[in-house]
mmCIF file of all heavy atoms in Angstrom:
data_model
loop_
_atom_site.group_PDB
_atom_site.id
_atom_site.type_symbol
_atom_site.label_atom_id
_atom_site.label_comp_id
_atom_site.label_asym_id
_atom_site.label_seq_id
_atom_site.Cartn_x
_atom_site.Cartn_y
_atom_site.Cartn_z
ATOM 1 N N THR J 1374 128.476 101.620 105.662
ATOM 2 C CA THR J 1374 128.587 102.222 106.954
ATOM 3 C C THR J 1374 128.431 101.210 108.085
ATOM 4 O O THR J 1374 128.488 101.569 109.281
ATOM 5 C CB THR J 1374 127.508 103.310 107.114
ATOM 6 O OG1 THR J 1374 126.178 102.717 107.071
ATOM 7 C CG2 THR J 1374 127.618 104.360 106.011
ATOM 8 N N GLY J 1375 128.180 99.979 107.660
ATOM 9 C CA GLY J 1375 128.041 98.918 108.691
ATOM 10 C C GLY J 1375 126.625 98.481 108.908
ATOM 11 O O GLY J 1375 126.342 97.540 109.668
ATOM 12 N N LEU J 1376 125.654 99.170 108.282
ATOM 13 C CA LEU J 1376 124.288 98.761 108.427
ATOM 14 C C LEU J 1376 124.029 97.440 107.664
ATOM 15 O O LEU J 1376 124.464 97.274 106.515
ATOM 16 C CB LEU J 1376 123.354 99.859 107.900
ATOM 17 C CG LEU J 1376 123.329 101.159 108.716
ATOM 18 C CD1 LEU J 1376 122.438 102.198 107.971
ATOM 19 C CD2 LEU J 1376 122.827 100.918 110.126
ATOM 20 N N PRO J 1377 123.309 96.507 108.253
ATOM 21 C CA PRO J 1377 123.043 95.204 107.605
ATOM 22 C C PRO J 1377 121.957 95.277 106.542
ATOM 23 O O PRO J 1377 120.857 94.740 106.665
ATOM 24 C CB PRO J 1377 122.567 94.311 108.773
ATOM 25 C CG PRO J 1377 121.906 95.275 109.715
ATOM 26 C CD PRO J 1377 122.694 96.603 109.617
ATOM 27 N N VAL J 1378 122.258 95.997 105.445
ATOM 28 C CA VAL J 1378 121.300 96.219 104.364
ATOM 29 C C VAL J 1378 120.866 94.909 103.716
ATOM 30 O O VAL J 1378 119.702 94.612 103.512
ATOM 31 C CB VAL J 1378 121.854 97.219 103.330
ATOM 32 C CG1 VAL J 1378 120.898 97.336 102.126
ATOM 33 C CG2 VAL J 1378 122.148 98.536 103.935
ATOM 34 N N ASN J 1379 121.837 94.076 103.318
ATOM 35 C CA ASN J 1379 121.554 92.836 102.650
ATOM 36 C C ASN J 1379 120.687 91.904 103.553
ATOM 37 O O ASN J 1379 119.714 91.285 103.103
ATOM 38 C CB ASN J 1379 122.816 92.117 102.258
ATOM 39 C CG ASN J 1379 123.553 92.847 101.149
ATOM 40 O OD1 ASN J 1379 122.903 93.476 100.307
ATOM 41 N ND2 ASN J 1379 124.856 92.691 101.073
ATOM 42 N N GLU J 1380 121.076 91.836 104.838
ATOM 43 C CA GLU J 1380 120.347 90.956 105.771
ATOM 44 C C GLU J 1380 118.889 91.448 105.935
ATOM 45 O O GLU J 1380 117.976 90.646 105.948
ATOM 46 C CB GLU J 1380 121.019 90.923 107.133
ATOM 47 C CG GLU J 1380 122.369 90.195 107.130
ATOM 48 C CD GLU J 1380 123.530 91.012 106.617
ATOM 49 O OE1 GLU J 1380 123.237 92.211 106.165
ATOM 50 O OE2 GLU J 1380 124.652 90.564 106.620
ATOM 51 N N PHE J 1381 118.747 92.786 106.019
ATOM 52 C CA PHE J 1381 117.408 93.349 106.157
ATOM 53 C C PHE J 1381 116.510 92.991 105.028
ATOM 54 O O PHE J 1381 115.385 92.548 105.186
ATOM 55 C CB PHE J 1381 117.478 94.846 106.344
ATOM 56 C CG PHE J 1381 116.119 95.538 106.354
ATOM 57 C CD1 PHE J 1381 115.358 95.535 107.444
ATOM 58 C CD2 PHE J 1381 115.651 96.151 105.179
ATOM 59 C CE1 PHE J 1381 114.100 96.207 107.440
ATOM 60 C CE2 PHE J 1381 114.436 96.798 105.166
ATOM 61 C CZ PHE J 1381 113.663 96.812 106.306
ATOM 62 N N PHE J 1382 117.005 93.178 103.759
ATOM 63 C CA PHE J 1382 116.162 92.918 102.601
ATOM 64 C C PHE J 1382 115.961 91.430 102.379
ATOM 65 O O PHE J 1382 114.941 91.035 101.761
ATOM 66 C CB PHE J 1382 116.737 93.618 101.392
ATOM 67 C CG PHE J 1382 116.454 95.117 101.325
ATOM 68 C CD1 PHE J 1382 117.417 96.010 101.743
ATOM 69 C CD2 PHE J 1382 115.197 95.580 100.992
ATOM 70 C CE1 PHE J 1382 117.122 97.362 101.745
ATOM 71 C CE2 PHE J 1382 114.909 96.925 100.995
ATOM 72 C CZ PHE J 1382 115.900 97.831 101.366
ATOM 73 N N ASN J 1383 116.912 90.581 102.755
ATOM 74 C CA ASN J 1383 116.707 89.172 102.711
ATOM 75 C C ASN J 1383 115.559 88.729 103.618
ATOM 76 O O ASN J 1383 114.724 87.933 103.248
ATOM 77 C CB ASN J 1383 117.975 88.397 103.063
ATOM 78 C CG ASN J 1383 118.999 88.462 101.958
ATOM 79 O OD1 ASN J 1383 118.686 88.626 100.776
ATOM 80 N ND2 ASN J 1383 120.298 88.327 102.351
ATOM 81 N N ILE J 1384 115.544 89.300 104.839
ATOM 82 C CA ILE J 1384 114.444 89.012 105.773
ATOM 83 C C ILE J 1384 113.120 89.535 105.212
ATOM 84 O O ILE J 1384 112.098 88.892 105.337
ATOM 85 C CB ILE J 1384 114.759 89.632 107.138
ATOM 86 C CG1 ILE J 1384 115.973 88.904 107.772
ATOM 87 C CG2 ILE J 1384 113.548 89.520 108.045
ATOM 88 C CD1 ILE J 1384 116.405 89.495 109.094
ATOM 89 N N LEU J 1385 113.222 90.742 104.567
ATOM 90 C CA LEU J 1385 111.991 91.320 104.011
ATOM 91 C C LEU J 1385 111.454 90.432 102.920
ATOM 92 O O LEU J 1385 110.195 90.221 102.830
ATOM 93 C CB LEU J 1385 112.334 92.709 103.474
ATOM 94 C CG LEU J 1385 111.171 93.450 102.849
ATOM 95 C CD1 LEU J 1385 109.987 93.699 103.848
ATOM 96 C CD2 LEU J 1385 111.613 94.815 102.277
ATOM 97 N N ARG J 1386 112.303 89.905 102.063
ATOM 98 C CA ARG J 1386 111.853 89.018 100.940
ATOM 99 C C ARG J 1386 111.244 87.735 101.559
ATOM 100 O O ARG J 1386 110.167 87.279 101.029
ATOM 101 C CB ARG J 1386 113.023 88.649 100.086
ATOM 102 C CG ARG J 1386 113.584 89.778 99.246
ATOM 103 C CD ARG J 1386 114.593 89.279 98.275
ATOM 104 N NE ARG J 1386 115.268 90.396 97.564
ATOM 105 C CZ ARG J 1386 116.433 90.915 97.945
ATOM 106 N NH1 ARG J 1386 117.059 90.468 98.999
ATOM 107 N NH2 ARG J 1386 116.949 91.968 97.259
ATOM 108 N N LEU J 1387 111.837 87.165 102.554
ATOM 109 C CA LEU J 1387 111.258 85.993 103.194
ATOM 110 C C LEU J 1387 109.882 86.331 103.788
ATOM 111 O O LEU J 1387 108.936 85.502 103.735
ATOM 112 C CB LEU J 1387 112.192 85.445 104.259
ATOM 113 C CG LEU J 1387 113.505 84.794 103.778
ATOM 114 C CD1 LEU J 1387 114.407 84.450 104.929
ATOM 115 C CD2 LEU J 1387 113.197 83.619 102.895
ATOM 116 N N THR J 1388 109.785 87.469 104.426
ATOM 117 C CA THR J 1388 108.512 87.867 105.040
ATOM 118 C C THR J 1388 107.422 88.005 104.016
ATOM 119 O O THR J 1388 106.319 87.524 104.169
ATOM 120 C CB THR J 1388 108.709 89.183 105.812
ATOM 121 O OG1 THR J 1388 109.731 89.020 106.795
ATOM 122 C CG2 THR J 1388 107.383 89.593 106.529
ATOM 123 N N LEU J 1389 107.754 88.709 102.910
ATOM 124 C CA LEU J 1389 106.769 88.874 101.870
ATOM 125 C C LEU J 1389 106.354 87.587 101.231
ATOM 126 O O LEU J 1389 105.234 87.408 100.759
ATOM 127 C CB LEU J 1389 107.333 89.850 100.805
ATOM 128 C CG LEU J 1389 107.546 91.314 101.244
ATOM 129 C CD1 LEU J 1389 108.269 92.100 100.165
ATOM 130 C CD2 LEU J 1389 106.224 91.967 101.614
ATOM 131 N N HIS J 1390 107.356 86.661 101.173
ATOM 132 C CA HIS J 1390 107.035 85.271 100.585
ATOM 133 C C HIS J 1390 106.059 84.571 101.540
ATOM 134 O O HIS J 1390 105.202 83.813 101.034
ATOM 135 C CB HIS J 1390 108.338 84.541 100.490
ATOM 136 C CG HIS J 1390 108.114 83.073 100.127
ATOM 137 N ND1 HIS J 1390 107.837 82.682 98.877
ATOM 138 C CD2 HIS J 1390 108.176 81.961 100.930
ATOM 139 C CE1 HIS J 1390 107.667 81.375 98.850
ATOM 140 N NE2 HIS J 1390 107.885 80.907 100.063
ATOM 141 N N CYS J 1391 106.188 84.811 102.844
ATOM 142 C CA CYS J 1391 105.363 84.078 103.802
ATOM 143 C C CYS J 1391 103.973 84.679 104.007
ATOM 144 O O CYS J 1391 103.053 83.961 104.429
ATOM 145 C CB CYS J 1391 106.075 83.945 105.132
ATOM 146 S SG CYS J 1391 107.580 82.958 105.109
#
Side-chain angles (χ1 to χ4, degrees):
T1374 65
L1376 292 176
V1378 175
N1379 290 331
E1380 291 81 356
F1381 172 80
F1382 282 101
N1383 285 336
I1384 293 173
L1385 180 61
R1386 291 187 187 96
L1387 289 174
T1388 302
L1389 293 173
H1390 172 77
C1391 294

